[in-house]
């Protein structure tokens, strides 16, 4: 990037920061994020080979740090915004990796099996002209059904929890995890990622049987009937745990 372009970006950033401190708005904040996305990309690349997270995950978490820096930067003090924002971005990524590290220690052979399963499932789908059962997938992989279930759950938990994941329940009707977010103003892409992290942390605080039901329904995309069959409980029990689990998550999030 040429010196002239760099100076123009710095000048535009300071100008927008001054406006934002006087009249804060999502529009100005998002413009600031777009102008300084290079700071986040640089940090994401730095950490990419130091962990098992994807570049996109690191990038999205880094955006949270950038937003915090935008909110806390004082224009009246003579300092470069990039120097101020970088520690916030780095700190947010390090905090995310530190919090998530206990849940991502998956055996390498499990990760290899999960990658192999993608091809196996495609082949079985073509062979049977339908979605293969878990038993068929496990047999094709040469592992037990129980081990396949454990690998599925472990690897699905590496993925971000979707705020838009739908669920049908008699008491709740049609709802999604995004409805649990208490602040209705959280609508930007960056803050949505922050909410995803908060939801994942809240989910880990639930009682085990309730947490498993929500994981099967939201993370593994199983129906309540399929969840009941896998856990050896009734569909009514699954529905009740979904309802209670959503209520508990609401309390935790609020």
């Amino acid at each position: 990037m040429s010196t002239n372009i760099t100076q123009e970006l710095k000048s535009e950033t300071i100008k927008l920061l001054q406006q934002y401190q006087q009249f804060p708005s999502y529009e100005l904040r998002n413009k600031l994020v777009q102008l300084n996305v290079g700071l986040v990309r640089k940090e994401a690349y730095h950490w990419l080979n130091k962990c098992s997270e994807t570049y996109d995950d690191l990038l999205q978490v880094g955006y949270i740090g950038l937003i915090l820096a935008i909110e806390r930067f004082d224009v009246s003090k003579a300092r470069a915004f990039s120097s101020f924002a970088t520690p916030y971005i780095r700190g947010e990524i390090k905090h995310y990796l530190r919090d998530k590290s206990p849940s991502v220690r998956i055996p390498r052979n499990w990760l290899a099996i999960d990658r192999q399963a993608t091809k196996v499932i495609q082949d079985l789908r073509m062979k049977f002209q339908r979605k293969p059962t878990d038993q068929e997938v496990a047999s094709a992989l040469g592992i037990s059904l129980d081990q396949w279930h454990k690998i599925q759950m472990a690897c699905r938990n590496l993925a971000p929890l979707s705020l838009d994941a739908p669920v049908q329940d008699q008491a709740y009707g049609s709802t999604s995890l995004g409805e649990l977010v208490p602040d209705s103003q959280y609508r930007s892409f960056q803050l949505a990622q922050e909410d995803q992290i908060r939801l994942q942390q809240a989910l880990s605080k639930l009682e085990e049987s309730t947490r498993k039901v929500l994981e099967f329904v939201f993370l593994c995309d199983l129906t309540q009937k399929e969840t009941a069959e896998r856990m050896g409980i009734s569909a009514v029990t699954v529905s009740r745990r979904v309802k209670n689990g959503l209520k508990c998550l609401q309390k935790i999030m609020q």
Side-chain angles (χ1 to χ4, degrees):
M1 183 180 295
S2 69
T3 302
N4 288 339
I5 295 177
T6 301
Q7 290 301 325
E8 287 177 6
L9 286 176
K10 289 182 178 179
S11 176
E12 182 68 13
T13 294
I14 293 299
K15 179 181 177 181
L16 288 175
L17 282 168
Q18 290 172 336
Q19 294 177 18
Y20 185 73
Q21 288 189 1
Q22 293 179 351
F23 307 103
S25 69
Y26 289 119
E27 182 180 0
L28 283 175
R29 190 195 62 196
N30 289 338
K31 285 183 179 180
L32 284 163
V33 169
Q34 290 301 319
L35 276 176
N36 293 277
V37 68
L39 299 175
V40 182
R41 288 173 177 165
K42 182 178 179 181
E43 260 328 289
Y45 273 123
H46 173 77
W47 291 99
L48 186 59
N49 295 324
K50 300 178 184 294
C51 66
S52 60
E53 300 302 300
T54 67
Y55 173 72
D56 285 342
D57 286 343
L58 295 174
L59 195 66
Q60 291 175 20
V61 175
Y63 280 135
I64 299 172
L66 178 58
I67 289 172
L68 290 175
I70 291 170
E71 298 289 346
R72 297 173 185 178
F73 186 73
D74 188 347
V75 180
S76 65
K77 296 182 179 179
R79 51 181 165 177
F81 176 72
S82 58
S83 299
F84 178 82
T86 297
Y88 279 91
I89 298 168
R90 182 179 303 140
E92 205 62 35
I93 291 176
K94 290 173 69 175
H95 181 73
Y96 171 74
L97 293 175
R98 184 168 58 248
D99 283 352
K100 195 171 182 184
S101 60
S103 65
V104 299
R105 293 171 184 167
I106 298 176
R108 289 186 178 181
N109 65 313
W110 281 26
L111 293 173
I113 291 173
D114 185 63
R115 288 192 294 269
Q116 180 186 355
T118 301
K119 179 66 166 57
V120 167
I121 291 172
Q122 290 177 346
D123 291 343
L124 291 176
R125 186 185 293 273
M126 292 182 63
K127 178 181 178 181
F128 299 135
Q129 293 298 303
R130 59 170 172 77
K131 180 181 178 181
T133 65
D134 282 349
Q135 182 61 67
E136 289 167 341
V137 174
S139 298
L141 291 170
I143 60 177
S144 68
L145 180 60
D146 181 63
Q147 186 178 7
W148 172 232
H149 285 166
K150 290 179 180 178
I151 292 173
Q152 276 186 301
M153 183 60 69
C155 292
R156 294 300 177 273
N157 280 333
L158 288 175
L161 193 61
S162 173
L163 291 177
D164 297 322
V167 64
Q168 291 288 337
D169 184 81
Q170 290 181 350
Y172 274 73
S174 178
T175 187
S176 69
L177 288 185
E179 297 299 321
L180 301 180
V181 178
D183 192 341
S184 61
Q185 297 181 10
Y186 278 10
R187 288 295 179 266
S188 73
F189 173 80
Q190 291 80 20
L191 283 178
Q193 172 64 16
E194 184 179 35
D195 291 334
Q196 290 175 359
I197 296 171
R198 293 172 62 201
L199 280 170
Q200 287 177 308
Q201 293 173 340
L203 190 62
S204 68
K205 296 178 182 179
L206 296 179
E207 184 268 330
E208 184 178 3
S209 61
T210 300
R211 175 180 57 79
K212 284 184 177 180
V213 166
L214 293 184
E215 284 176 343
F216 280 131
V217 172
F218 290 107
L219 288 177
C220 295
D221 197 26
L222 298 182
T223 65
Q224 292 193 21
K225 180 180 179 181
E226 290 170 335
T227 299
E229 293 173 351
R230 178 167 294 189
M231 296 188 67
I233 57 180
S234 69
V236 173
T237 299
V238 170
S239 179
R240 183 169 62 248
R241 289 182 183 175
V242 166
K243 181 175 66 176
N244 292 338
L246 290 174
K247 286 182 178 178
C248 289
L249 281 177
Q250 282 182 315
K251 290 180 181 179
I252 294 171
M253 293 296 295
Q254 292 172 352

